[in-house]
Each structure stands twice: as structure tokens, then as C-alpha cells.
Amino acid sequence: MTGSNFTKQYKTSDQVSAAVRHHWWITEHARPLRLPVLGVIGPTSLTYRWVEGRPARPEDLPRLAMLLGNAHGSAWAGDLQASDLATPHRFQDGTVFADYLGPRKAALQHRLEQGYLPNQVALHAMLALLEKTAEGPSAFYKDSNPRNFLITDAGDVFTVDTDDLTLAPMAYDLAKLIATLLLTYGPLPDQAIDAALAAYNEAAAHYDTRLGATERDRFDDFLALHAVLTAPYVGRHGYSYGWPPSYPRLRG
């Protein structure tokens, strides 16, 4: 950070190009999300206008769920209607916008190698769950964790970090937010999860009724996937809590 700016460093110029491309795609197609102003684009860095704000907390969940529902609905209406979750999408310049299945299949295989899945049987079960969820209208995923929302004293919400962007089912990124709120602040009441999903569905349905149809069982499938995918980060990045042993989807 220098003055009123924040500079983020990258290892390669390709990572810079991807982050810039994602930034402008979100600005154009997911306008409900408010991003910091992007200023200087360097060979291995990006400089943004500094935003003073706090990360998301559990009490922000209803508002953020509605925001994500509107953002995903807007992106579907503007660019993603013809996309397929199993096939990479393409930006206007022809570069690839990663699909839903490919990156997560690779990540689940890596979780087995890291020891976060006990055996091949568990891996096959998670891959089957992933395939099961790869249906319906496409939204996008940009890693909605508490640190990637900044809430100002005036109550404005800014979304940060455009490094990663893939296709994903509707409400999958909301599940990531809930999963990481849980890891950051501890267990959330079941009623809070239901209310967030209802708020998301209501917002997304304004763009098309099919977008607001995510049911709780399907949402729990997303949470189960996130439990495995986020496992290496427990104890890091503010994730001080593990998954509650009573959570029905994740009981051994």
C-alpha cells in the first residue's frame, strides 16, 4: 500500500493479464458487484485505489447473499446463458474462462495426494458429487470468502480479488461464502443458512425463474465439496475453526 493506493504483486505477467481480464468481465457483466478502481497495470503488479473497509461477518450474510444472487443473475442474462458448466467459456478476446468441472476434478485429486481424502473410495465419492452438481444454469465463481468483501463505514460493499474466475452452478459461490464464514467465525445457525439461500434465490429469480431454484439439499452438496476443497487452508488466512462434527453432510 502506498498513499491512497494498494499494489498487488504477481509472479508472472500471465497472472496479471488474467486478473485484469476478470476485473473487466465482472465490471461489464456482474454490475451489482462494486470493484475498487483499477489504476496502474504493471508487468507483474496491479495497483488499485485503496478502499477502507472491514471483511464480511456473519451478520452481513443476508445482504451479501442478495448481492451475489443479483450478480449471478446479471452475468447469466448478459453473457452466460449459452455456457455449459463442463465446457470452458471464452472471453471476447478468445481466451478461456475455466469450466466448473476441470479445475475441481484436479483439486480433488490433489486433496487425495495431500491426505485430505482418506482413499480412492472417498475421492470417487467426491468426484461423483461434483458431477451431480454440474447441471443447470451457469453462474461464475470468484472465491467469495469474507476477506474478499470490504464493507465501508458508510455501508458500501466492495468486492476484491479477481485472480480466479470459473464457471459454477448457481449458488455455488454463496456456499463458498458460508463455508468460509463458518471456518472464520464458527458454526452458523441452520436458519441463517436457509435465510441466505432464500435471499439469493429471490434475487437471482428476478432475472429468470430458473435461476432461483437452488434447493437446500443441492446447496448442502456444494458445502460438502467446499469442506474438502478448503481443507488445506484451515488454520491459515483466519480460518481458525474446523467443520462442526454435527454437520449432517460431513459426518463420517
Side-chain angles (χ1 to χ4, degrees):
M1 176 180 170
T2 57
S4 59
N5 295 323
F6 171 77
T7 298
K8 184 171 183 178
Q9 301 293 333
Y10 294 84
K11 293 181 178 178
T12 69
S13 60
D14 286 346
Q15 291 175 325
V16 172
S17 297
V20 171
R21 191 180 301 115
H22 298 166
H23 179 99
W24 290 117
W25 186 89
I26 290 171
T27 299
E28 180 176 358
H29 296 291
R31 293 183 180 178
L33 296 184
R34 188 173 181 181
L35 304 181
V37 174
L38 175 58
V40 179
I41 302 172
T44 57
S45 67
L46 294 176
T47 299
Y48 298 89
R49 185 176 299 167
W50 176 257
V51 174
E52 188 67 42
R54 61 167 177 83
R57 299 193 291 244
E59 59 265 31
D60 303 311
L61 182 55
R63 181 184 181 190
L64 296 179
M66 188 173 296
L67 177 64
L68 285 172
N70 277 307
H72 293 164
S74 175
W76 180 88
D79 189 42
L80 297 180
Q81 287 189 52
S83 63
D84 185 322
L85 291 168
T87 305
H89 192 53
R90 290 193 177 273
F91 294 99
Q92 289 182 347
D93 65 1
T95 54
V96 171
F97 183 157
D99 64 296
Y100 172 62
L101 288 175
R104 289 162 185 85
K105 286 180 178 178
L108 289 170
Q109 175 66 46
H110 192 41
R111 297 298 176 267
L112 174 67
E113 295 163 358
Q114 293 172 305
Y116 296 107
L117 288 170
N119 50 44
Q120 287 286 344
V121 173
L123 173 61
H124 290 315
M126 295 308 300
L127 290 173
L129 186 61
L130 179 66
E131 292 279 357
K132 176 187 171 186
T133 61
E135 59 182 16
S138 295
F140 63 92
Y141 169 83
K142 71 159 301 295
D143 187 13
S144 288
N145 67 61
R147 302 181 311 281
N148 285 343
F149 292 100
L150 294 176
I151 301 174
T152 70
D153 287 343
D156 296 323
V157 179
F158 285 83
T159 306
V160 299
D161 188 353
T162 61
D163 293 355
D164 299 311
L165 202 64
T166 72
L167 295 177
M170 299 297 297
Y172 179 83
D173 211 6
L174 174 63
K176 177 60 179 287
L177 175 60
I178 288 176
T180 49
L181 282 171
L182 182 157
L183 293 175
T184 304
Y185 297 102
L188 298 174
D190 210 48
Q191 297 88 337
I193 298 175
D194 287 338
L197 181 57
Y200 176 94
N201 280 334
E202 181 180 359
H206 285 301
Y207 298 86
D208 190 288
T209 56
R210 293 171 292 174
L211 306 184
T214 304
E215 297 180 349
R216 181 57 195 269
D217 283 349
R218 178 172 169 82
F219 195 73
D220 282 348
D221 289 341
F222 296 153
L223 288 173
L225 287 165
H226 285 304
V228 176
L229 293 170
T230 59
Y233 308 107
V234 174
R236 302 162 52 196
H237 308 308
Y239 297 159
S240 302
Y241 293 84
W243 286 89
S246 61
Y247 189 70
R249 276 285 179 181
L250 304 177
R251 263 201 308 255

